[in-house]
Amino acid sequence: MFSLVSPALAENESPYFARTWLAEDGLPDNRVVGLAQTADGYLWVATQGGVVRFDGVRFQRVGFARSPNLIAGTMRALMLDRLGRVWLAKEEGGTLFCFAGAQVRMLTADQGLPNNEAKRSMALDADGSLWITYSTGKVIRCHQNGTVDAFTAKDGLPAAGACWLASDRAGTLWFAKGSHVGLFRNGRFDVLENFGSPALRIAAARSGGIWICAGQQVLKFDEGVETVQLAEIIPDETGGRANFEPSVLLEDREGAVWVGTTSSGLYRCDSNSVVRVEVSNPSILSLTEDREGNLWVGTRGGGLNRVHRRLTSLIKPADGLPFQGVQSVCQDTTGALWLVGENGVLARGQGTNWNVQSPSENPVPAHVTCAAADTNGSVWVGAWGGALYHWAGGHFTDLGFQASLRQKSPRSLLVMRNGDLWIGTDSPDALYRLRGDKLESFNLPPSHRFIRAMAEDAAGNFWAGASDGLLVRVTGDVLVDETAKSSSLSIRCLHGAANGDLWIGYANAGAGRLRNGSITRFSTDQGLPNDYVAQILTDNRDSVWFAGNQGIFQVRERDFDDLANGLATRVWPVVYGRGEGLPGLQASFDFCPDSLRASGDRLFFSMLSGLAEVRLDYARLNYRPPGVFIERVTADEHASIVYQDFTLESPTNSSAPAELKNPGDEGELRLPPGVQQVQFEFTALSFVAPENVQFRYQLEGMDKNWVDAGTRRVANYSHPPPGRYRFQVIACNNDGIWNKIGDTLAVTVEPYFWETLWFKSAATLTSVAFLCGGVVLVLRRRHRLVIERLEHQRALELERTRIARDLHDDLGVGLTEIGLLGDLAGTSSELPPASRERVEEITGRARMLAASLDEIVWAINPANDTSQSLVDYFFPYAQKLLGRAGIRCRLEVIEPLPAGNLNAEGRHEFFHAYKEALNNVIRHSGASQVQVTMSAVEGSLLIRIADDGCGLEDMAGRGAHHGLAGMRERLLRLGGRCDITSRAGKGTMVTFIIPVQPEAQT
């Protein structure tokens, strides 16, 4: 006996939507016989023509690289056991595959399985044994050790019909065969109940026991517990009771039971209602629910379907709407919607019940442009020709403002919180405010287009915008032009948020947010899917909703804040419409109000194809971050590594297979030298809205920062240099929940031998050796040249010393003797006067030659090359020469003198200049005193001769007659200089500066 609870089949439109994938999308076959989501998050799809794994975007064949045809033929069933293993039943050869991670075990007819018979169902019992039923009624048990048992009627099985199995949460094995239901215990099948209907299907119940679909009844059954009817399915006229037969059952996480039928479609049953859900084919073969709550449906000929609550829907003419495009929408206090169509028709209603409203009593109906609801329950309606109507108490009143509005048609209406009604017309000269019964006008800045956007901000300010960028604000009774803040961008819509922000929708410029007096703009460069924004709404969940040329999308306000504050480089939008069977949505604009946040957590957007509705109450935040995997790495179009490289074990090997691991866990990928192109393919397993999954990746060693890939699931790198890299990819789901660990893979690009460290080191060492050898040779050559130069210099010095000695010893002595002889001869009384004069002349000439010879000997003697030798020679020479002339001489040496040498030529030239300066003092200055100073200046030798004579009046004229130019020329030839300063009556000062050579260079 069982109690009855029979909810009626829901008559309203199903709140569920099915997204379909077919063979043309990548399925091997449109007959999907089995579904399962594995531990890594992939959805396994078994079709009669093969098996694929699905990530929400791409299908990948499951197979063996060395035996690609092994998993081919007629697939009959797929099951995921509680140990995470996938069992795949193939008809040919009685083959059974067990996928446990990357290891695959295969059983065939050789192990006792029936050959070439269609398998019906599979289940795993508490002992870990696999049970299989066949279309012929056979029941087989495969033990973990590989042995196989067959069960027949003698083991308690009812005789008629195929057998269906289910294993509950305790591992108890339940069966349904014919009209009987029971369980397996103590080695026998024990029948517990006969339901009288041969059309039985069973499924495990989360709370224990099983669910049974017997005919049209959905029952909860367990041993020792009263059977409860959850629902009764009443098929529509198309299916009919006679053709109704269940094929598969599934309890979802909410406790609802899904019933798939052989030809009558898919039903969702709970204690409140039974809902028929439209899928691509009414013949259902398999069901499963993924970890995010999506229901997956395998059909016979209709491919794969994903079923979930329809968050977005479109009200259109097929739903009773009297027009296609909607340009204005509002909601009155009763909850009824008011819509204005592009054809000028006004309709009121909701759901599928719409009534055309005629605000004018004239025979010619008014061409309505916009409608706005008042907080007092009334509705304002604008129409062509400056008409403004007021609906209240079920009746329309023409306010007669045609003359006041000068026949200008209202395009925009906005009811403020204080009750004011703002009116924008198709004329750009003015805005109008209706306060009570008084209509006021506000002149607009000239040379602009008409107002098409209006909003009230949180502070009660009124804002209006135009298509040419005009933006104005009215505070109190003052209109302020704020166009400069918006950069004159074309404005399509305005929206005042509760937090004080003013949102602006632009044409081809994205969206702007006015906060604290400045506007921050967001566009496709920052992640928006579309730069044409026609409508903006905010919800109570900190999200901003946009409608534009490419449908509806949502962005969390936190994403905008992070972007504006420099914490992120883009926003992460969620796009709606296409994933729910509503492609091609395009928002209306040019009229206001054109969007609405209605009661019951619903958003409405005016579309060119109808009225789009967003059910926020159906939205569930997807807290589960997606699993991220690097699926394939391709180097120069050759696959280098592939996720899930299955390995086939021996048929008798019963060891527990290893876990399936990511490629990055297996070690390091090594790529050959000279690779030109490396491609990383990756995925993230989130099925709620896979088209909204976003990725970031980085190849450490090449990418300095994370790369925002958007929805792209591939990364390409050209000509990576040899080295070690680490590729990392992360992803977020449709609600922006990030998997920040992601997947990683170490990659090494091998170098050519000439790029290896040892080769570079050897080449470097060889180069260094050659360089060192060259340096040694150069140094040796330089050293040899230095030695040769020093030897040559030494030889010259020795030769100079010898010459000086010979001149002094031979010629000098001879000249001295001549002088002495001349003195003796001059004292002789016997010489006549004329001869005595000649002898005295000879004696004087000999002494002059001896003095000149003494200068030459001093100059060429290398012992006199130092600065000190100049002091020793120059100072006595000055004292002697000036003393003869009766001029007092003061000598001063300022030490230290420069360390260095002055060669013979330099000393000879320098001495002649020095002597010329002293002679000039004697001959021309009339001085009584001369100061001779010798010192060092910046590494050079300085000699200064200063007298107290008459000086020179004309340096340019007279200086040339005193040998001054000659002194300068001598010093210039030595690399020095001669400075002469003189003033009439103040004496003359001659300064010689001559460089000396460092001793190390001599």
Side-chain angles (χ1 to χ4, degrees):
M1 299 295 295
F2 52 83
S3 60
L4 297 176
V5 180
S6 301
L9 187 67
E11 296 180 357
N12 295 333
E13 181 184 0
S14 169
Y16 295 90
F17 168 74
R19 164 76 163 89
T20 303
W21 288 267
L22 300 169
E24 61 194 43
D25 302 310
L27 279 177
D29 190 289
N30 285 333
R31 295 165 294 179
V32 179
V33 298
L35 296 165
Q37 186 180 30
T38 51
D40 56 11
Y42 281 95
L43 183 72
W44 285 58
V45 183
T47 73
Q48 283 197 9
V51 183
V52 291
R53 292 185 319 146
F54 188 45
D55 63 358
V57 175
R58 299 175 296 201
F59 292 96
Q60 297 184 34
R61 282 269 188 171
V62 173
F64 304 103
R66 297 182 180 179
S67 303
N69 296 324
L70 191 57
I71 304 182
T74 305
M75 305 301 158
R76 290 299 184 184
L78 181 82
M79 183 196 73
L80 179 73
D81 67 21
R82 63 176 178 274
L83 301 178
R85 298 175 299 184
V86 175
W87 294 89
L88 175 64
K90 174 182 172 182
E91 184 171 329
E92 289 81 3
T95 309
L96 189 66
F97 298 96
C98 177
F99 295 84
Q103 304 297 317
V104 183
R105 179 185 175 197
M106 185 172 72
L107 300 174
T108 65
D110 295 337
Q111 283 77 49
L113 295 177
N115 190 13
N116 297 331
E117 292 189 23
K119 304 170 181 65
R120 290 297 189 189
S121 67
M122 295 183 288
L124 194 74
D125 64 18
D127 297 328
S129 297
L130 179 70
W131 292 77
I132 313 166
T133 68
Y134 293 81
S135 59
T136 58
K138 293 181 180 178
V139 178
I140 301 295
R141 178 174 61 183
C142 298
H143 295 277
Q144 294 191 64
N145 60 8
T147 60
V148 175
D149 299 329
F151 293 84
T152 62
K154 67 178 183 179
D155 301 303
L157 275 174
C163 186
W164 302 92
L165 301 176
S167 179
D168 66 16
R169 63 180 185 177
T172 302
L173 185 69
W174 293 82
F175 73 93
K177 197 169 190 294
S179 60
H180 302 86
V181 173
L183 49 80
F184 180 82
R185 56 187 170 192
N186 301 324
R188 292 185 57 82
F189 287 91
D190 188 1
V191 175
L192 299 180
E193 188 74 48
N194 186 341
F195 288 90
S197 171
L200 287 181
R201 293 295 184 272
I202 60 174
R206 293 176 179 267
S207 60
I210 58 173
W211 292 99
I212 303 173
C213 185
Q216 287 91 37
Q217 296 179 346
V218 180
L219 311 169
K220 175 69 186 307
F221 180 80
D222 200 355
E223 187 178 20
V225 179
E226 181 183 10
T227 301
V228 177
Q229 177 176 294
L230 176 68
E232 181 177 4
I233 302 172
I234 303 176
D236 57 19
E237 296 179 359
T238 303
R241 287 177 177 265
N243 297 325
F244 185 90
E245 181 181 350
S247 57
V248 59
L249 270 67
L250 175 74
E251 181 187 4
D252 66 20
R253 64 178 60 189
E254 296 178 353
V257 177
W258 294 82
V259 180
T261 66
T262 57
S263 60
S264 301
L266 176 69
Y267 298 86
R268 181 185 184 274
C269 307
D270 60 22
S271 58
N272 296 317
S273 64
V274 175
V275 178
R276 187 175 190 273
V277 178
E278 289 293 333
V279 291
S280 58
N281 190 291
S283 180
I284 312 300
L285 299 178
S286 54
L287 296 172
T288 194
E289 185 184 27
D290 66 28
R291 289 190 282 273
E292 294 173 300
N294 299 291
L295 182 75
W296 295 88
V297 183
T299 68
R300 186 189 304 275
L304 175 67
N305 291 252
R306 183 194 66 203
V307 176
H308 62 86
R309 283 190 178 271
R310 186 191 298 271
L311 185 66
T312 306
S313 59
L314 186 68
I315 303 172
K316 49 191 181 298
D319 303 308
L321 201 63
F323 38 75
Q324 182 84 22
V326 178
Q327 67 185 31
S328 185
V329 57
C330 66
Q331 184 183 41
D332 62 30
T333 54
T334 68
L337 296 176
W338 293 73
L339 307 183
V340 178
E342 290 183 333
N343 57 359
V345 173
L346 178 66
R348 179 177 184 266
Q350 53 188 346
T352 59
N353 183 20
W354 296 95
N355 298 310
V356 174
Q357 304 291 314
S358 179
S360 173
E361 296 180 355
N362 297 329
V364 178
H367 188 101
V368 178
T369 56
C370 52
D374 206 324
T375 55
N376 59 13
S378 63
V379 176
W380 300 91
V381 178
W384 279 3
L388 181 66
Y389 301 95
H390 188 222
W391 181 88
H395 302 283
F396 286 97
T397 301
D398 186 347
L399 299 182
F401 285 148
Q402 288 86 340
S404 300
L405 296 177
R406 292 181 291 174
Q407 306 299 319
K408 294 178 290 187
S409 302
R411 302 181 70 96
S412 301
L413 299 174
L414 177 68
V415 178
M416 303 280 282
R417 290 190 295 271
N418 65 359
D420 290 348
L421 175 67
W422 284 89
I423 306 167
T425 69
D426 54 10
S427 178
D429 58 345
L431 278 168
Y432 299 90
R433 181 178 68 186
L434 180 61
R435 175 172 289 178
D437 296 328
K438 182 180 179 181
L439 184 67
E440 304 171 274
S441 65
F442 291 78
N443 293 328
L444 292 172
S447 302
H448 286 285
R449 301 195 65 189
F450 60 82
I451 295 296
R452 64 177 181 182
M454 292 180 175
E456 181 183 11
D457 64 20
N461 298 306
F462 169 77
W463 294 81
S467 60
D468 60 355
L470 174 67
L471 179 66
V472 297
R473 171 178 54 85
V474 178
T475 302
D477 296 326
V478 180
L479 185 145
V480 180
D481 188 352
E482 301 279 14
T483 305
K485 291 183 177 179
S486 190
S487 304
S488 299
L489 298 171
S490 179
I491 297 174
R492 281 190 171 182
C493 65
L494 297 171
H495 174 73
N499 64 355
D501 294 340
L502 178 72
W503 285 92
I504 308 172
Y506 297 110
N508 198 30
R513 183 179 67 181
L514 177 61
R515 174 180 288 182
N516 299 326
S518 62
I519 293 179
T520 304
R521 193 163 59 84
F522 311 97
S523 66
T524 52
D525 294 336
Q526 288 80 41
L528 295 188
N530 182 21
D531 275 337
Y532 289 86
V533 177
Q535 300 165 35
I536 302 177
L537 292 172
T538 51
D539 60 20
N540 57 356
R541 307 181 184 193
D542 297 325
S543 290
V544 185
W545 294 77
F546 303 86
N549 283 12
Q550 297 178 9
I552 301 170
F553 62 93
Q554 167 206 8
V555 181
R556 293 179 303 168
E557 196 154 1
R558 186 180 65 187
D559 287 355
F560 287 119
D561 292 339
D562 290 345
L563 180 59
N565 295 329
L567 302 177
T569 59
R570 57 164 296 160
V571 296
W572 304 96
V574 179
V575 180
Y576 295 90
R578 182 172 296 274
E580 296 176 299
L582 299 175
L585 289 179
Q586 183 171 344
S588 302
F589 57 93
D590 271 349
F591 296 89
C592 178
D594 51 11
S595 58
L596 168 70
R597 177 179 166 186
S599 59
D601 254 356
R602 294 181 298 166
L603 305 179
F604 290 95
F605 297 95
S606 299
M607 295 286 161
L608 298 181
S609 53
L611 181 67
E613 179 184 10
V614 178
R615 293 291 302 266
L616 298 178
D617 54 331
Y618 286 172
R620 298 290 184 272
L621 183 61
N622 185 6
Y623 290 101
R624 182 182 293 273
V628 182
F629 296 92
I630 301 171
E631 290 192 312
R632 179 186 299 264
V633 181
T634 304
D636 292 339
E637 299 183 357
H638 297 286
S640 299
I641 191 168
V642 179
Y643 178 68
Q644 179 229 314
D645 189 9
F646 292 114
T647 302
L648 186 64
E649 294 182 347
S650 168
T652 58
N653 187 353
S654 61
S655 60
E659 286 283 334
L660 182 64
K661 296 185 180 296
N662 300 339
D665 298 334
E666 297 292 338
E668 186 178 49
L669 172 62
R670 307 187 74 86
L671 299 177
V675 62
Q676 300 296 308
Q677 187 79 19
V678 180
Q679 183 180 81
F680 297 88
E681 297 178 33
F682 42 83
T683 190
L685 303 177
S686 177
F687 296 102
V688 173
E691 65 275 8
N692 290 320
V693 172
Q694 309 279 342
F695 295 89
R696 289 175 179 169
Y697 64 82
Q698 182 182 32
L699 183 61
E700 295 181 4
M702 287 193 70
D703 296 326
K704 294 182 179 180
N705 300 303
W706 285 94
V707 177
D708 288 326
T711 59
R712 181 165 47 89
R713 300 183 178 221
V714 64
N716 292 288
Y717 293 90
S718 299
H719 307 286
R724 297 173 65 89
Y725 303 94
R726 182 172 176 265
F727 183 77
Q728 184 175 8
V729 57
I730 59 177
C732 71
N733 64 16
N734 60 299
D735 281 321
I737 304 300
W738 282 92
N739 179 341
K740 295 186 178 181
I741 298 176
D743 196 8
T744 60
L745 177 64
V747 180
T748 296
V749 179
E750 299 283 0
Y752 288 108
F753 75 90
W754 60 81
E755 296 176 314
T756 58
L757 180 61
W758 68 265
F759 181 85
K760 291 181 179 179
S761 300
T764 301
L765 291 176
T766 303
S767 301
V768 170
F770 277 112
L771 180 62
C772 291
V775 171
V776 170
L777 290 176
V778 171
L779 292 177
R780 290 183 63 182
R781 179 176 177 80
R782 288 183 178 179
H783 184 64
R784 184 169 65 250
L785 292 175
V786 170
I787 292 176
E788 290 176 356
R789 186 173 70 250
L790 292 176
E791 290 177 348
H792 179 68
Q793 184 177 348
R794 180 61 179 167
L796 289 176
E797 291 178 353
L798 292 176
E799 183 65 16
R800 287 166 56 194
T801 302
R802 183 189 65 77
I803 294 173
R805 185 174 60 250
D806 290 346
L807 289 175
H808 182 272
D809 294 344
D810 295 336
L811 187 57
V813 171
L815 291 174
T816 302
E817 289 178 353
I818 292 174
L820 292 175
L821 291 175
D823 289 337
L824 291 175
T827 58
S828 174
S829 59
E830 299 178 357
L831 287 177
S835 299
R836 183 177 288 108
E837 290 179 2
R838 292 187 179 90
V839 169
E840 290 176 355
E841 183 179 354
I842 292 171
T843 301
R845 185 64 177 168
R847 287 195 176 105
M848 290 177 60
L849 290 174
S852 297
L853 181 63
D854 182 62
E855 295 174 8
I856 295 172
V857 170
W858 174 81
I860 66 174
N861 191 343
N864 300 323
D865 287 349
T866 63
S867 299
Q868 185 61 45
S869 69
L870 293 180
V871 176
D872 296 341
Y873 191 79
F874 277 31
F875 278 11
Y877 180 83
Q879 285 179 318
K880 180 179 178 181
L881 183 62
L882 294 174
R884 290 175 183 174
I887 300 174
R888 188 167 63 254
C889 180
R890 295 180 60 188
L891 305 174
E892 182 181 9
V893 178
I894 300 176
E895 294 183 340
L897 295 176
N901 298 321
L902 195 63
N903 58 31
E905 181 183 359
R907 283 186 287 114
H908 181 70
E909 292 284 348
F910 194 13
F911 178 72
H912 277 288
Y914 177 73
K915 184 168 66 172
E916 179 68 25
L918 294 177
N919 286 329
N920 285 337
V921 172
I922 295 171
R923 290 196 298 267
H924 306 295
S925 69
S928 62
Q929 180 175 298
V930 174
Q931 171 83 25
V932 180
T933 305
M934 187 174 293
S935 66
V937 55
E938 297 180 355
S940 298
L941 179 66
L942 180 145
I943 295 180
R944 180 176 289 117
I945 302 169
D947 64 56
D948 59 355
C950 62
L952 298 175
E953 294 183 358
D954 183 7
M955 289 286 296
R958 298 183 61 188
H961 298 291
H962 299 315
L964 303 184
M967 290 189 294
R968 288 193 177 99
E969 291 177 359
R970 288 179 186 275
L971 266 296
L972 286 175
R973 285 197 295 270
L974 297 178
R977 74 175 189 268
C978 171
D979 297 331
I980 302 172
T981 58
S982 178
R983 293 177 60 187
K986 299 295 184 180
T988 301
M989 183 171 62
V990 179
T991 302
F992 299 114
I993 299 177
I994 182 171
V996 297
Q997 298 177 352
E999 294 181 352
Q1001 298 181 7
T1002 60

